[in-house]
Amino acid sequence: MLIIAIFFIWPALQAAYLSFMLEDPWGMSREFVGLENYQYLFNSAEYLYSFGFSIVFSALVAFLSLGTALILAVKANAVLHMQSTYRVLITWVYAIAPAVAGITAYFIFNRHIGVMYDFLNSLGWQFNPEADAVDASALLILVSVWKQIPVNFVFFLAGLQGIPKAVREAAALDCANERRRFWTITFPLLAPTGFFLLVINITYAFFDTFGIIDTLTQGTPGGRTTTLVYKVYQDGFLGADLGLSSAQSVVLMLLVLSLTFVQFRFIERKIHY
């Protein structure tokens, strides 16, 4: 509780307090401005774009990483030989830090030396993430999903292996269609694991992708790949506007809390433990 109070509750209260202030970059003086910082945010087209981009980006990263990990877990669970080898090959990516993943992707998709850049252009896709916002967004989503798949894979595989053997055998006798058996038996039994991973992946997409964005696009081109958490960094640490960045952090915190509440309030009702 002491650790939570020092590293979570106290900084959150400080951010809420500073969001009502206009403070000089050196922290030597401050002035109470009320809701002026919040009014500026929601009248800013740049911030509203970042808000919308964060929602779409987070939804795509969560959906694609969960879907891909589930497919890989189902396939790996069906492997009879060299199971451990397949698990290691899929999970080792999780050991890579987000910043390192971003730097690696930067070289792979670099227009001068990147092998994937040449490959995509050879297919007729004029891939140019430095100038095209769609290409840059697609690159961010691809790397973010690649980085998150391993942890989802581990949990899904554990959930699949936790299904009793008697249940699987009974399902195989009652339903010969493997696809139908998965959606009617296996998938509902994985619902608790899937719900937990949904919450984790939403949080990851909003916060933990900061390192990937900072090393890969830095919000370019023209701020079109700037998420809310990266906007806080730009305005607070680079722009030295502590009051405005604090207001952004409060909005981000309320947004994530609201999404988490909706998930627990409505989605968890459909989960059977």
Side-chain angles (χ1 to χ4, degrees):
M1 292 301 296
L2 183 62
I3 293 174
I4 292 174
I6 293 175
F7 292 100
F8 291 94
I9 298 177
W10 175 247
L13 294 176
Q14 282 289 98
Y17 170 73
L18 289 175
S19 68
F20 298 105
M21 299 292 174
L22 178 64
E23 187 166 350
D24 71 273
W26 310 106
M28 302 299 293
S29 63
R30 61 184 57 166
E31 177 186 354
F32 179 77
V33 294
L35 297 175
E36 185 177 318
N37 288 321
Y38 293 97
Q39 292 173 350
Y40 176 84
L41 284 182
F42 291 103
N43 288 322
S44 170
E46 182 181 357
Y47 180 76
L48 293 177
Y49 178 86
S50 298
F51 193 96
F53 176 76
S54 298
I55 297 294
V56 175
F57 173 78
S58 301
L60 289 174
V61 169
F63 175 77
L64 292 175
S65 59
L66 286 171
T68 307
L70 179 59
I71 293 173
L72 292 174
V74 171
K75 296 301 182 182
N77 191 50
V79 172
L80 298 178
H81 303 287
M82 299 179 64
Q83 258 195 14
S84 58
T85 303
Y86 285 108
R87 293 175 196 169
V88 172
L89 289 174
I90 296 176
T91 57
W92 70 270
V93 179
Y94 189 63
I96 301 175
V100 176
I103 293 174
T104 303
Y106 174 80
F107 284 106
I108 294 176
F109 290 91
N110 186 273
R111 64 184 304 170
H112 300 293
I113 60 174
V115 291
M116 286 302 298
Y117 178 86
D118 295 334
F119 174 73
L120 292 175
N121 279 271
S122 67
L123 296 178
W125 182 1
Q126 300 299 318
F127 186 73
N128 187 12
E130 297 175 354
D132 192 301
V134 176
D135 291 350
S137 300
L139 179 57
L140 278 181
I141 292 172
L142 174 65
V143 179
S144 300
V145 169
W146 174 73
K147 180 69 180 68
Q148 186 63 7
I149 284 174
V151 65
N152 296 335
F153 169 79
V154 170
F155 278 97
F156 275 134
L157 185 60
L160 288 169
Q161 293 179 344
I163 297 176
K165 185 178 180 180
V167 174
R168 297 198 299 268
E169 292 176 347
L173 291 174
D174 292 338
C175 181
N177 189 302
E178 185 176 352
R179 181 175 300 180
R180 184 179 178 186
R181 190 164 66 242
F182 171 80
W183 288 111
T184 57
I185 302 297
T186 306
F187 188 75
L189 291 174
L190 282 177
T193 303
F195 175 72
F196 166 76
L197 288 176
L198 177 63
V199 177
I200 295 300
N201 278 259
I202 291 293
T203 305
Y204 161 78
F206 270 102
F207 296 102
D208 290 349
T209 53
F210 172 87
I212 297 174
I213 297 172
D214 190 48
T215 55
L216 194 54
T217 66
Q218 296 182 341
T220 58
R224 294 300 175 178
T225 58
T226 301
T227 59
L228 290 178
V229 68
Y230 197 72
K231 191 81 168 61
V232 171
Y233 166 74
Q234 285 182 324
D235 292 344
F237 288 87
L238 301 181
D241 192 341
L242 300 181
L244 187 63
S245 64
S246 296
Q248 294 178 41
S249 66
V250 171
V251 172
L252 178 58
M253 179 179 65
L254 293 176
L255 174 62
V256 175
L257 286 176
S258 300
L259 290 174
T260 305
F261 172 78
V262 169
Q263 292 174 70
F264 276 93
R265 183 69 175 83
F266 298 102
I267 299 178
E268 194 182 25
R269 285 184 172 183
K270 303 181 182 298
I271 305 300
H272 300 282
Y273 293 92

